[in-house]
Amino acid sequence: QVQLVESGGGLVQAGGSLRLSCAASGRTFSNYAMGWFRQAPGKEREFVAMINWSGGSTYYADSVKGRFTISRDNAKNTVTVYLQMNSLKPEDTALYYCAAKSGNYRSIRTADYDYWGQGTQVTVSS
């Protein structure tokens, strides 16, 4: 059974930090690229960051570059992906989703991702 379970969301003041985690199991996710997306109320889901299977290559949306850092831990049975979010802004408020993609190419398109978590809410107050 494939599972992607996000955690670490919450309420934080502007300028603060949060660290999101995503535990992925049920597939050999060490062979998958992993990404974070977010969706604010009334808006489309948008790309935030992605990391290749080995962790050696990362890519960020311009809106989070320099503030967010994606990383991963490829343990034997469960891959954990992290999103360190610093200098948070009210416009970062959204439901944050973890996703997994077969194939080691870069993609910001939701349609290219095969598996999704349920999301974790991040709220940044001004």
Side-chain angles (χ1 to χ4, degrees):
Q1 179 184 1
V2 172
Q3 283 191 310
L4 277 70
V5 181
E6 302 98 334
S7 61
L11 173 64
V12 64
Q13 289 189 331
S17 298
L18 282 175
R19 189 193 197 201
L20 306 183
S21 299
C22 171
S25 60
R27 286 286 187 274
T28 309
F29 283 110
S30 55
N31 295 336
Y32 282 67
M34 302 294 292
W36 286 98
F37 288 74
R38 67 187 182 186
Q39 188 166 18
K43 294 188 177 181
E44 292 189 352
R45 192 170 300 188
E46 66 174 4
F47 170 79
V48 175
M50 72 164 292
I51 188 166
N52 75 336
W53 66 273
S54 68
S57 177
T58 57
Y59 184 65
Y60 298 92
D62 287 343
S63 59
V64 306
K65 203 174 296 182
R67 299 188 298 122
F68 290 12
T69 303
I70 188 171
S71 61
R72 68 187 292 162
D73 179 3
N74 288 342
K76 186 175 181 180
N77 294 317
T78 300
V79 168
T80 305
V81 184
Y82 303 98
L83 187 68
Q84 178 66 44
M85 306 187 296
N86 299 328
S87 302
L88 283 161
K89 305 175 181 180
E91 50 265 43
D92 294 318
T93 295
L95 189 61
Y96 282 71
Y97 295 92
C98 173
K101 179 178 69 62
S102 60
N104 210 28
Y105 59 93
R106 176 185 294 179
S107 175
I108 66 172
R109 301 191 328 139
T110 57
D112 287 337
Y113 287 77
D114 304 296
Y115 301 105
W116 292 82
Q118 294 300 306
T120 184
Q121 178 67 39
V122 171
T123 303
V124 185
S125 63
S126 57

